[in-house]
Amino acid sequence: MTLIDFLKRHAQLSPDKPAVVCREEVTTYARLWQQVQRRADQLLAAGATPGMPYAFRASQDADFLITYFAAHLVGAPAMPLERDMPEGNMQSLLQRIDGSRLPAHIADVLFTTGTTGQSKGVLISHDTLIAEAENLAEAQGFSADTVFVICGPFNHLGSLSKIFPVVMLGGTLLVTEGVKDLEAFFRAMEYPSRHLATFLVPAAIRLLLQFGRERLAACADKIEFIETGAAAIAQSDMEELCRLLPHTRLYNTYASTETGIISTFNFNAGECRAGCLGAPMKHSAFYITDEGKVACRGRTIMQGYLGDDELTRRVLRDETILTADCGYIDDHGRLHLKGRADDIINLGGYKVNPAEVEDVALGHPAVADCICIPYTHPVLGVMLKLLVKVMPATTLDRREMAKYLAERLERYKVPQSIDIVDTVERTYNGKLNRKHYLQ
């Protein structure tokens, strides 16, 4: 069965069940299915054809879901694009895919954020969508009662993937504009259910901990589980989240557009460990290469890159995705990440993972956000610099901060320079935008 099959079945068996809630408007499964069928007719009339990717901007509402499923219904791979993509960039992208015809088993084309180069179109099959749905349902406990609060953009796997288990099981999607509007987020949390769940990138979690700590704690009995991923979460934030939500399952997940949803770890089940991402899920497997990098296999991996066979061959070999993530597997079969190979900073033979420095710095009460980057000293060569965004109405003494770091890190990992900045650049899905500082 495909997601379309599940959607149609729920429309028949549970026609009045809420499928999507957005801005207080409720769309039942029966209505959603009717709207998908009408949109499919419109797409066909506009020239959509089976196998030809259908590109559209990822709006944060029920209309996105209607278009997404309508594309599947007509056999056109859905290609959701960033909502705020400049028109010139979108036209250039449309020219790249013009004339493309993809096999019938391809469901989606998802574009990576492109912070390390040209954005790449990742080909994902219908079977992968079901495999990811089953991975999440089994490992995190999705059910027909789940009301999943969507906080991130639908063109990113973190939020898009939550459609899969919810629709497969007949749950409810509650779509919001994200946690930047705290009032809208907490209004969503007022939904009459004790089976709320959500996905939050670490930057969003930190925002909630800074400005909505008490309100989040007040929702503790309603939130069944929270998943985080896309970037590393600080140990201090994990511990605070566990304190505020003592009965909530809190998952740290390993996933990427290319690998799909691979593993997850409930760090609120007695062992709160940063970097631990759990054992492989039902349809996934991983191992560590001789170079110390994570390699992934299973039904959730991509089919390749759109129009780039050479890059596909470099990343996808023998049905295995070779990632740039460095990691190890513990005695319990759980994956631990140690950062990306291309992020490691070489200090005259000493190797520093900047994420380790950032994790310690984020534990300081005055630090709202930070990034550790290399810089070249005219005499000493490559050194470490820490850029810090300070908490509102707070000051930070650089010497005190350096002492704080020196007490918690090896000497060579302590940045020689600490600068106060107004903002720390991140991508739209919450990852630190290291390339911005290295241009």
Side-chain angles (χ1 to χ4, degrees), residues 206-258:
R206 193 157 188 83
L207 188 67
L208 284 173
L209 294 179
Q210 290 174 26
F211 301 108
R213 179 183 283 104
E214 291 77 14
R215 297 176 72 179
L216 184 63
C219 303
D221 293 335
K222 298 185 65 178
I223 303 176
E224 191 169 8
F225 65 93
I226 295 176
E227 179 190 0
T228 189
I233 180 172
Q235 179 76 35
S236 56
D237 289 348
M238 293 170 65
E239 293 171 354
E240 179 67 0
L241 206 56
C242 291
R243 187 185 70 80
L244 295 174
L245 305 173
H247 308 300
T248 299
R249 303 193 302 277
L250 301 173
Y251 296 105
N252 197 8
T253 297
Y254 183 66
S256 72
T257 313
E258 288 87 347

